[in-house]
Amino acid sequence: MAKFKKATKKTTASGTRGRAKAKDDAQQQAEQLSSKLSESAQQIWLAGVGAFSRAQAEGTKLFDALIKEGMSLEQTARRFAGGQADAVRDVVGSRVGQARERASDTWDRLEKVFEDRVQRALVKLGVPGRDDLNDLSRRVDALTAELRRQGGAAPRKSPARKSASKQATQSPAARKSPRKAPKAKPAS
């Protein structure tokens, strides 16, 4: 057992020294890492200050260049949009023309159908048409001419006929004939 105690004392002493050395190494590594981090932070800071300085110096130039580029893009877009607007206007104009033609054709067909139906209804009712009236007028003119040729003068309108037409234009109260006197009753 004595050997074991000696061996543990040696291990403990060498372990304490080893731990102290490992602790020193770890502390040294931590300091190096801290120094590296500090140096990196310093470099980042300096890079930011340099970028700010350059942006301040070249900012105006960059801003002007961006304005010119924007103007160029705007002009290009306007030209493109103008061309598209003309094309759209042409297409819309042709479509409107087609729609007008269709509407006109449809209206003409509807008018024709309406006229045909009215004509059929008038024929069913026995109302003479334009052609019938024209034929009748021609026949009357022919008969009038024949009468003049045979008898000399066209017949004149009779006074009875004038009074009948005069009565037709008068109001109903004026057309009434005076009341007849009541008949006398025979004496009983």
Side-chain angles (χ1 to χ4, degrees):
M1 211 131 178
K3 284 184 180 180
F4 181 70
K5 283 185 183 179
K6 272 188 181 178
T8 26
K9 281 186 184 177
K10 283 184 183 177
T11 314
T12 312
S14 68
T16 308
R17 276 192 230 134
R19 279 191 214 154
K21 186 175 181 182
K23 199 176 189 181
D24 287 341
D25 286 342
Q27 194 172 15
Q28 194 176 25
Q29 283 179 350
E31 286 176 10
Q32 285 177 353
L33 183 62
S34 174
S35 142
K36 284 181 182 179
L37 282 176
S38 176
E39 190 176 313
S40 290
Q42 181 76 22
Q43 286 176 350
I44 290 171
W45 169 255
L46 292 174
V49 169
F52 178 73
S53 173
R54 181 176 283 177
Q56 209 173 20
E58 294 178 8
T60 312
K61 292 177 189 175
L62 179 64
F63 187 73
D64 290 341
L66 289 174
I67 287 174
K68 287 179 185 176
E69 189 175 334
M71 289 172 77
S72 171
L73 286 173
E74 181 182 18
Q75 289 173 351
T76 304
R78 282 181 190 252
R79 274 187 256 129
F80 178 73
Q84 292 297 323
D86 290 341
V88 168
R89 191 177 301 122
D90 291 343
V91 168
V92 168
S94 70
R95 297 268 170 103
V96 166
Q98 290 172 352
R100 277 191 192 134
E101 288 176 15
R102 286 182 191 159
S104 177
D105 291 345
T106 302
W107 187 255
D108 290 344
R109 278 188 254 134
L110 180 65
E111 187 176 345
K112 179 69 175 148
V113 167
F114 181 73
E115 287 175 357
D116 290 345
R117 286 186 181 176
V118 168
Q119 184 63 34
R120 276 189 266 145
L122 290 175
V123 166
K124 281 183 182 179
L125 292 172
V127 176
R130 184 183 319 144
D131 294 337
D132 296 335
L133 291 176
N134 287 338
D135 287 344
L136 186 61
S137 178
R138 274 190 236 111
R139 288 177 65 191
V140 168
D141 288 344
L143 287 173
T144 304
E146 182 69 25
L147 280 175
R148 281 188 186 155
R149 192 173 47 95
Q150 285 181 3
R156 295 184 182 170
K157 292 183 180 177
S158 65
R161 192 178 260 181
K162 285 184 182 177
S163 66
S165 66
K166 197 176 197 182
Q167 266 189 347
T169 58
Q170 291 177 350
S171 68
R175 278 189 281 178
K176 284 187 179 178
S177 59
R179 284 190 175 180
K180 294 183 181 178
K183 292 184 181 180
K185 291 185 183 182
S188 30

